[in-house]
Amino acid sequence: MTGWQIPGFQEMRELGEGAQGRVVLARHRESGAPVAIKYLFGTDERERERLRHEARMLGQAGSPHIARLYRLVEAPEGAAIVMEAIDGVSLKEILARHGALGPEESLAVLKGSLLGLAAAHALGVVHRDYKPGNVVVPADGCSKLIDFGVAVPAGGAGSAGTPVYMSPEQWSGQQATPATDVYAATCVFVECVSGRRPYPAGDLAALRHAHLAGEIPVEAVPEPLRPLVAAGMAKDPAGRPPGAAMFVQELERVAQAAYGPGWEARGVRRLAAASAALAALFPLAALVAVPGGAAGVGVGAGTAGAGTGGNAVAGGIKGILATATGKVAAAGGAAVVIAGSLVVVQQTAQSDPPPPRPSPTLATRPVAATVAVRQCPVTDALGQRQTPGGTPAPVRLPEQVSLPRGAAVYRFGQGRHLIGAAGQSCEEINGNGAGGSEVGQGAAGGFVRHSYPFSIGSMNISKCVYFPDAPQSRDAGCDGSEALARRQDVPSGVPGVLAMLAGEASAKPRSMPSSPYVEVTMATMARNGMATSVSCVMPWARASICTAALTYWYAEGMSRSKIAKADLDRIAQRVAAHVAASRR
């Protein structure tokens, strides 16, 4: 790897090189976060403006189906964009290794791609080069769209692209519109289902004629899916869905009718399996570091390994435990943990039966009407500071919350607080696949952690962990195996909002000392299916901190819903009882 490099990053390996530049996997030296960096060859101003355009699009898209932008860097020596490193394998590689995919997997890929394209179309941008090589499938099975290097504003010239997926208007040099991307996405869909491209590559003139005037290859897909192909590959752009968002609606209608309500969950699971089978090809394998003395393997977004030691999966597995999005599929001594961009082989062992759970009296002091707040640092995945400015204002605690001795209130973002043990470290990190806020100094001192997913796959897994039987979880493919043990649904007091308590901590580290400890998780799920949680692990002598932390988190989260005092009273009582019963 030669040439100009962005300061502050250590390059690990080259991911690709083309006529316009190269893409490398790198590590941010200060935070250790993995990133992908796209370097531009040369200093041509037109190419720089193209890179700026790509950066603007990525920065504004905000879609879980598009790689996120971290920064645009320009210097006299060159220009580059720093992006999310998606730990997965390209759809091109999956098709090369596995051949044709099933209809449900193909529909899941198409839907994810269309949602990514829809985010671009909403900004007035046409991708123009949608192809299997520009789709990455992580271990959670939720595809992401990359490389907007030849994207143009809608209405721009449309001749650029990859010939085997180019629309008739691209071959004719006409304007590119969102329907141009719909055509390419449908071509890739045909390839996924049939294992063959819609029109054979080879003689360029013959390929051009096929796209301009050839029969649409509807017979290559099962009969229920042929209307999708006929519409998506219509020769006239006016005959196609006008954009990706409209095509998604038609796709969901057709898929539901053909394969039932669970089609997407099944398709995503099979894609995840196909991706995980190629985990050795994941880019972040270059970042794996196995700690001394730990045996095993791992592929993760951070320092990851596998073994029996407490820190065997230090960096990567912390992301799973922190966000409660880990999905474990195993029997016996080893489990494959899949979450977002992480696959780790983790050793497991049978735990001893829990000891009897006495109900001690929790000592608290009288309710503090108003308490001081400590500001915690907030960083993004690269370690860049996003901490709110100013001195945090004191907060008034609800009457259901008593602040225990040795506890404090911590602020993370604007209006987000956690109660935790006083004098401990705290931080909030918005990572590649999920985010979280934490107050704690490791398992020995206990911690309180708030977790929330960003990716579609993490959202679905969170539903299965916390609310496997909920209506919003019906299409997430929950089978009950991921659900937390000793969980109880509790009435939320707010219409449309679900709540639950579990007598174990979803964020519990494997190195947590044995009893007497309290570990408990509380989670809520809104009408839209977004589930968030707070977990508390504390020495038994400080169990009252968990009671205060969970109750305050819930009260603050429901403050805009105008929850009734009687409902908050009932929730506070349920939390106290659950904490008292959660001693291990």
Side-chain angles (χ1 to χ4, degrees):
M1 291 177 282
T2 60
W4 174 71
Q5 297 182 13
I6 302 176
F9 293 88
Q10 177 189 2
E11 294 190 14
M12 307 302 297
R13 58 180 286 196
E14 189 169 279
L15 299 178
E17 182 174 323
Q20 298 173 336
R22 65 189 181 104
V23 179
V24 301
L25 177 70
R27 188 202 302 270
H28 188 241
R29 293 184 185 276
E30 183 175 344
S31 69
V35 299
I37 304 178
K38 181 177 181 178
Y39 284 101
L40 178 68
F41 286 151
T43 58
D44 183 89
E45 183 58 31
R46 290 177 299 178
E47 295 303 323
R48 286 202 178 209
E49 182 53 38
R50 189 191 300 273
L51 192 71
R52 295 184 195 113
H53 172 73
E54 182 176 0
R56 284 193 295 268
M57 202 291 304
L58 292 175
Q60 296 174 38
S63 168
H65 293 280
I66 294 179
R68 289 192 295 159
L69 173 76
Y70 291 138
R71 66 176 71 160
L72 167 67
V73 180
E74 295 196 61
E77 300 85 357
I81 52 177
V82 183
M83 303 172 288
E84 172 187 7
I86 303 174
D87 200 21
V89 64
S90 74
L91 178 60
K92 178 180 179 180
E93 192 70 43
I94 290 176
L95 292 174
R97 300 294 183 99
H98 291 279
L101 302 176
E104 291 175 332
E105 299 98 288
S106 302
L107 286 164
V109 169
L110 179 59
K111 180 178 176 179
S113 300
L114 289 173
L115 289 172
L117 291 170
H121 296 167
L123 299 172
V125 173
V126 179
H127 190 286
R128 290 201 306 174
D129 196 23
Y130 178 87
K131 57 186 177 182
N134 284 340
V135 178
V136 176
V137 181
D140 65 359
C142 297
S143 58
K144 289 202 175 191
L145 190 56
I146 62 172
D147 197 349
F148 283 76
V150 297
V152 295
S159 57
T162 300
V164 290
Y165 308 108
M166 279 170 49
S167 66
E169 60 269 24
Q170 286 176 289
W171 285 100
S172 301
Q174 299 172 12
Q175 291 183 343
T177 69
T180 301
D181 289 338
V182 167
Y183 184 94
T186 310
C187 288
V188 173
F189 175 66
V190 171
E191 184 175 353
C192 288
V193 178
S194 67
R196 303 186 305 274
R197 291 165 174 168
Y199 304 115
D203 180 76
L204 199 60
L207 185 61
R208 180 178 186 274
H209 175 77
H211 280 285
L212 288 172
E215 292 290 329
I216 299 175
V218 293
E219 73 286 346
V221 303
E223 194 279 332
L225 305 180
R226 291 176 183 176
L228 281 178
V229 174
M233 289 188 65
K235 304 300 182 183
D236 184 352
R240 300 175 214 143
M246 293 290 291
F247 202 23
V248 167
Q249 296 179 21
E250 181 63 14
L251 179 151
E252 290 180 329
R253 185 191 67 79
V254 170
Q256 176 94 0
Y259 302 106
W263 72 268
E264 186 174 9
R266 292 191 297 268
V268 168
R269 282 202 306 272
R270 292 166 188 156
L271 278 174
S275 177
L278 302 176
L281 303 179
F282 284 14
L284 297 189
L287 303 184
V288 171
V290 179
V297 296
V299 181
T303 304
T308 58
N311 295 320
V313 288
I317 197 67
K318 179 181 178 183
I320 287 183
L321 297 174
T323 59
T325 58
K327 188 170 185 177
V328 181
V336 179
V337 183
I338 303 174
S341 58
L342 177 61
V343 177
V344 176
V345 178
Q346 175 187 354
Q347 297 300 316
T348 61
Q350 286 285 353
S351 58
D352 295 328
R357 303 186 183 100
S359 299
T361 300
L362 305 182
T364 62
R365 64 185 185 184
V367 174
T370 303
V371 296
V373 176
R374 175 185 168 185
Q375 175 65 60
C376 298
V378 179
T379 58
D380 64 14
L382 299 185
Q384 294 183 336
R385 184 182 177 88
Q386 295 180 341
T387 307
T391 302
V395 296
R396 184 177 181 86
L397 296 177
E399 62 180 87
Q400 293 83 7
V401 178
S402 296
L403 190 67
R405 289 188 180 92
V409 179
Y410 298 79
R411 182 180 81 162
F412 296 90
Q414 299 289 350
R416 295 197 302 276
H417 302 86
L418 283 181
I419 288 178
Q424 293 193 325
S425 61
C426 60
E427 64 175 347
E428 176 175 274
I429 297 177
N430 299 316
N432 282 339
S437 311
E438 180 178 338
V439 178
Q441 292 179 328
F447 62 83
V448 178
R449 184 176 294 149
H450 171 216
S451 305
Y452 43 91
F454 286 148
S455 72
I456 298 298
S458 296
M459 293 175 190
N460 285 339
I461 294 172
S462 293
K463 295 176 187 179
C464 295
V465 169
Y466 303 125
F467 302 98
D469 302 320
Q472 295 94 321
S473 305
R474 188 170 295 123
D475 293 338
C478 305
D479 58 12
S481 62
E482 303 96 335
L484 291 182
R486 295 184 282 134
R487 60 175 299 281
Q488 295 179 8
D489 293 325
V490 297
S492 70
V494 178
V497 175
L498 303 181
M500 73 104 225
L501 284 160
E504 67 174 285
S506 61
K508 177 183 62 178
R510 297 176 65 224
S511 57
M512 193 185 81
S514 59
S515 49
Y517 260 69
V518 169
E519 45 176 310
V520 62
T521 288
M522 187 175 197
T524 62
M525 184 161 68
R527 295 180 183 87
N528 62 3
M530 175 69 75
T532 63
S533 68
V534 63
S535 293
C536 184
V537 173
M538 285 288 162
W540 184 237
R542 310 181 87 175
S544 56
I545 294 179
C546 288
T547 300
L550 271 62
T551 305
Y552 183 51
W553 175 79
Y554 189 85
E556 186 174 77
M558 298 298 150
S559 59
R560 295 183 181 179
S561 302
K562 299 181 179 180
I563 186 171
K565 176 183 179 301
D567 289 317
L568 272 182
D569 289 343
R570 177 177 41 76
I571 287 292
Q573 293 168 4
R574 293 289 294 268
V575 168
H578 217 84
V579 169
S582 69
R583 182 178 180 179
R584 315 190 296 119

